[in-house]
Amino acid sequence: MSASAVFVLDLKGKVFTEYFKELEEESIQDNFVVVYELLDELMDFGFPQTTDSKILQEYITQQGNKLEVAKTKVPTTVTNAVSWRSEGIRYKKNEVFIDVIESINVLVNANGSVMSSDIVGSIKLKTMLSGMPELRLGLNDRMLFALTGRDKGKAVTMEDVKFHQCVRLSRFESDRTISFIPPDGESELMSYRINTHVKPLIWIESVIEKFSHSRVEIMVKAKGQFKKQSVANNVEIRVPVPSDADSPKFKTSTGHAKYVPEKNLVVWSIKSFPGGKEFLMRAHFGLPSVENHEMEGRPPITVKFEIPYFTVSGIQVRYMKIIEKSGYQALPWVRYITQSGGERRFA
């Protein structure tokens, strides 16, 4: 199946979920009339047409399992060049919230060497702006600095950049300006990837000791390798254990540990993990089986976390300009979040 076909199937699934909440065989059978109407609007001669679920809901409505089609007039968003935004939107307070979210994928072998790493990022918006505003977003993009002859501070090189349909691609390709009329409410403006060497933000060391095949002791040490002024929230360190382990006992220097037998895991949870700090967890298990347990080939230790007000890549929103013909003043708010995408350590 081609990448375009996968994209279309994924897009239809998201639209159907907006209508039916749960995308199951039963919900499709119960709402087959709506499904046919949506497919007719989503695709035209095999090409994507109106794909925004908010716009579709303006003229394809649903009560129970029945379809109501507004016959008075077609919404202007369907015939308008700006199909992703309705006209006549009004807010008492005009604001736009920008979330820069980066996920870190790191794979570390048993010797502590980083085998692979990259950063996958996205910029998400929540716009509450009146009228039909034009927004211009500026990032510390290395190619932009090269075009303008400026090289101030840290710049980033983004790859595999994908934009929401609202972004003027020709403008971006010519001068790297991200110019657009935003959808109302929440949307993902763009996604990107940064191919760079990244060290694990939470470094994991583990030692496994077996005693006469009757019990095993696992020691895990975790150290925050990020700035001391930053704090990782809701940290989860998942440690695999033998499938027949029982009688668990834990000792932690912070947080709490629990045994999840159905997944053969110990989950060590730490609510708040400051940068530069180091914590320890010890787990003791009995091994009723007399067979020799091979620890090789077992799943890796995985780490989940979220660090607010911090990005590893150093990407920055340099400015957000909001231009609207009425001339109102609007407030842009920016938030940075780094989270684990796939930090894995083989013991």
Side-chain angles (χ1 to χ4, degrees):
M1 185 179 292
S2 67
S4 59
V6 172
F7 169 75
V8 169
L9 287 172
D10 181 56
L11 180 63
K12 290 177 181 177
K14 290 179 180 178
V15 172
F16 292 160
T17 303
E18 288 287 332
Y19 270 82
F20 314 139
K21 303 303 180 186
E22 297 293 335
L23 186 57
E24 300 176 353
E25 181 180 353
E26 184 179 351
S27 64
I28 293 175
Q29 289 176 342
D30 291 343
N31 298 279
F32 70 93
V33 176
V34 183
V35 170
Y36 279 125
E37 289 289 342
L38 288 171
L39 290 174
D40 188 48
E41 295 298 333
L42 282 166
M43 304 293 293
D44 188 14
F45 292 102
F47 294 97
Q49 190 175 240
T50 304
T51 59
D52 194 310
S53 60
K54 293 180 181 178
I55 302 304
L56 289 165
Q57 287 172 358
E58 288 189 19
Y59 63 102
I60 297 181
T61 58
Q62 177 188 15
Q63 287 185 354
N65 298 327
K66 296 181 180 179
L67 173 70
E68 289 186 0
V69 180
K71 297 181 179 179
T72 52
K73 68 173 185 177
V74 177
T76 55
T77 47
V78 177
T79 56
N80 190 11
V82 187
S83 62
W84 55 87
R85 185 181 179 89
S86 302
E87 293 182 354
I89 297 173
R90 292 289 179 267
Y91 286 98
K92 290 183 178 180
K93 187 178 182 181
N94 292 286
E95 296 178 300
V96 56
F97 297 88
I98 308 165
D99 280 351
V100 181
I101 303 172
E102 290 190 341
S103 297
I104 301 177
N105 302 300
V106 183
L107 182 63
V108 181
N109 65 16
N111 298 323
S113 300
V114 176
M115 299 171 65
S116 65
S117 65
D118 67 359
I119 301 169
V120 177
S122 66
I123 296 180
K124 298 184 178 182
L125 301 179
K126 183 179 181 181
T127 56
M128 296 185 289
L129 300 172
S130 303
M132 199 68 71
E134 179 177 337
L135 276 58
R136 293 175 188 168
L137 177 68
L139 304 172
N140 55 333
D141 179 7
R142 190 180 301 278
M143 290 187 68
L144 172 63
F145 286 179
L147 284 171
T148 57
R150 293 178 295 176
D151 191 12
K152 298 178 181 179
K154 185 175 181 180
V156 297
T157 302
M158 297 181 293
E159 302 177 20
D160 299 337
V161 180
K162 298 178 182 178
F163 288 111
H164 188 279
Q165 61 177 326
C166 66
V167 176
R168 296 184 176 91
L169 295 180
S170 58
R171 179 78 183 270
F172 178 77
E173 290 169 358
S174 63
D175 61 12
R176 305 293 286 188
T177 298
I178 303 173
S179 175
F180 58 98
I181 295 174
D184 185 44
E186 297 181 359
S187 62
E188 182 177 271
L189 179 67
M190 62 179 289
S191 62
Y192 59 89
R193 184 177 62 85
I194 297 176
N195 189 11
T196 183
H197 179 79
V198 182
K199 64 180 182 181
L201 294 182
I202 297 181
W203 181 260
I204 300 294
E205 293 181 15
S206 68
V207 177
I208 301 170
E209 289 188 69
K210 292 187 293 182
F211 301 91
S212 302
H213 308 304
S214 61
R215 62 189 179 92
V216 63
E217 179 179 316
I218 302 173
M219 188 274 290
V220 178
K221 183 168 66 175
K223 182 178 180 179
Q225 297 195 126
F226 48 93
K227 296 185 294 184
K228 292 183 178 180
Q229 59 266 39
S230 296
V231 176
N233 296 326
N234 304 317
V235 177
E236 275 192 4
I237 301 170
R238 300 183 168 218
V239 185
V241 298
S243 58
D244 62 343
D246 64 6
S247 306
K249 295 180 182 179
F250 303 109
K251 186 176 181 181
T252 61
S253 59
T254 190
H256 66 277
K258 68 176 181 179
Y259 178 41
V260 186
E262 63 271 19
K263 295 184 178 180
N264 300 322
L265 286 175
V266 170
V267 179
W268 180 16
S269 301
I270 304 172
K271 188 174 182 180
S272 181
F273 197 132
K277 293 291 184 179
E278 186 174 294
F279 301 114
L280 194 68
M281 186 272 291
R282 291 181 182 273
H284 299 262
F285 287 93
L287 295 176
S289 175
V290 296
E291 66 182 33
N292 184 25
H293 287 81
E294 291 292 337
M295 302 305 287
E296 294 183 3
R298 67 194 186 98
I301 297 173
T302 60
V303 185
K304 291 178 62 179
F305 59 84
E306 184 174 282
I307 306 176
Y309 318 114
F310 173 77
T311 59
V312 176
S313 69
I315 193 170
Q316 294 178 352
V317 175
R318 295 173 54 243
Y319 63 83
M320 167 65 86
K321 295 180 180 179
I322 303 169
I323 305 166
E324 213 278 332
K325 61 183 180 181
S326 65
Y328 61 71
Q329 297 296 313
L331 297 173
W333 305 91
V334 184
R335 179 173 62 171
Y336 299 94
I337 301 172
T338 293
Q339 58 191 20
S340 57
E343 287 213 1
R344 296 180 292 171
R345 167 67 187 261
F346 287 91

